[in-house]
Amino acid sequence: LPGLHIFAITLALEVSVGKTNTVTALNNSNVLLPCTFTTCIGFQDLVFTWYFNSTERIYQGKIKNEATEPRLIWHNPRVEFVGSITKKDNNISIVLNGVEFSDAGKYTCHVKNPKEKNAQHNATIILIVVHKMVETDNTVTLIIVGVVGGLIGLLILFMLIKRVVLFIIKKTQDGKKECLVSSSGNDNTENGLAGSKAEQKAPPKA
């Protein structure tokens, strides 16, 4: 049924390694591999396992319930559990100590919850090991942004100047039209010009 299907999705077990699935570490350093899980109905005897390149187990723990911290089942000597369950964030992150170039690869966090009909879910994070950290040079980006911003500013200034000039020209033309209308409507009776309202004098009698 559709309703039961939606309910099942709501109760599904979810595992996450954060917003990004890639971590970069410096050779011979310690690196955090984050992982958290969520479940709507709680958990009991939950088992979580970390794998390297999908097959090599490097850490495994078991959590009795929400009130207890994980119990270690097996771990690689270089791997340390740094998460916490009792802090209500269901954090099962680990730290890999003394990272080497051979450690680069995929690390999968797998969770199995018997209380949820043995529901299983996992998430994978990719570890990149480098000889030295390289700072990102944003100089070119800043130059491009500055040039584009300057061009946009000049365009806006040009449009404003254009509007002002057009406004002044329009006002000037309107003023000239008013002068022409005013001069064409003047009364020329005093000047006695042709077509004026001044009476024409009769020719003198002989």
Side-chain angles (χ1 to χ4, degrees), residues 15-17 20-22 34 50-51 53-54 105-110 122-127:
V15 179
S16 173
V17 292
T20 176
N21 64 344
T22 303
W50 278 92
Y51 292 98
N53 286 338
S54 303
K106 297 189 302 181
Y107 288 82
T108 302
C109 178
H110 178 272
N122 61 68
T124 299
I125 190 166
I126 299 172
L127 175 63

Side-chain angles (χ1 to χ4, degrees), residues 123-139:
T124 299
I125 190 166
I126 299 172
L127 175 63
I128 300 173
V129 182
V130 295
H131 179 66
K132 66 177 181 177
M133 292 295 186
V134 179
E135 295 184 1
T136 303
D137 188 0
N138 294 323
T139 304

Side-chain angles (χ1 to χ4, degrees), residues 18 37 48 54 56 72 80 87-89 94 96 105 111 117-119 121 144 148-149 155 184 191 193 196-197 206:
F37 69 89
F48 66 95
S54 303
E56 182 182 343
L72 174 65
E80 177 185 358
K87 291 181 180 179
K88 307 301 180 184
D89 57 356
I94 60 173
L96 179 61
V111 177
K117 295 184 178 180
N118 285 323
H121 197 257
I144 294 174
V148 173
L155 180 61
S184 64
N191 299 326
L193 297 176
S196 69
K197 294 180 180 179

Side-chain angles (χ1 to χ4, degrees), residues 14-70:
E14 292 290 340
V15 179
S16 173
V17 292
K19 294 181 179 180
T20 176
N21 64 344
T22 303
V23 173
T24 302
L26 188 63
N27 183 41
N28 203 32
S29 67
N30 302 333
V31 61
L32 172 68
L33 301 176
C35 183
T36 59
F37 69 89
T38 57
T39 175
C40 296
I41 63 174
F43 56 88
Q44 188 172 4
D45 296 327
L46 180 143
V47 176
F48 66 95
T49 309
W50 278 92
Y51 292 98
F52 173 55
N53 286 338
S54 303
T55 56
E56 182 182 343
R57 184 181 63 164
I58 60 173
Y59 192 97
Q60 187 171 51
K62 187 174 184 179
I63 312 171
K64 185 176 182 180
N65 52 50
E66 291 89 338
T68 60
E69 292 292 355

Side-chain angles (χ1 to χ4, degrees), residues 66-92:
E66 291 89 338
T68 60
E69 292 292 355
R71 175 176 62 85
L72 174 65
I73 296 177
W74 187 89
H75 78 114
N76 183 298
R78 295 170 53 215
V79 177
E80 177 185 358
F81 179 78
V82 293
S84 177
I85 303 303
T86 55
K87 291 181 180 179
K88 307 301 180 184
D89 57 356
N90 294 339
N91 187 342
I92 50 176

Side-chain angles (χ1 to χ4, degrees), residues 158-176:
F158 173 76
M159 295 298 293
L160 288 175
I161 293 174
K162 181 180 178 181
R163 289 178 66 89
V164 171
V165 171
L166 290 176
F167 178 77
I168 293 173
I169 292 174
K170 185 176 183 301
K171 282 294 183 182
T172 303
Q173 290 176 346
D174 289 345
K176 289 181 179 179

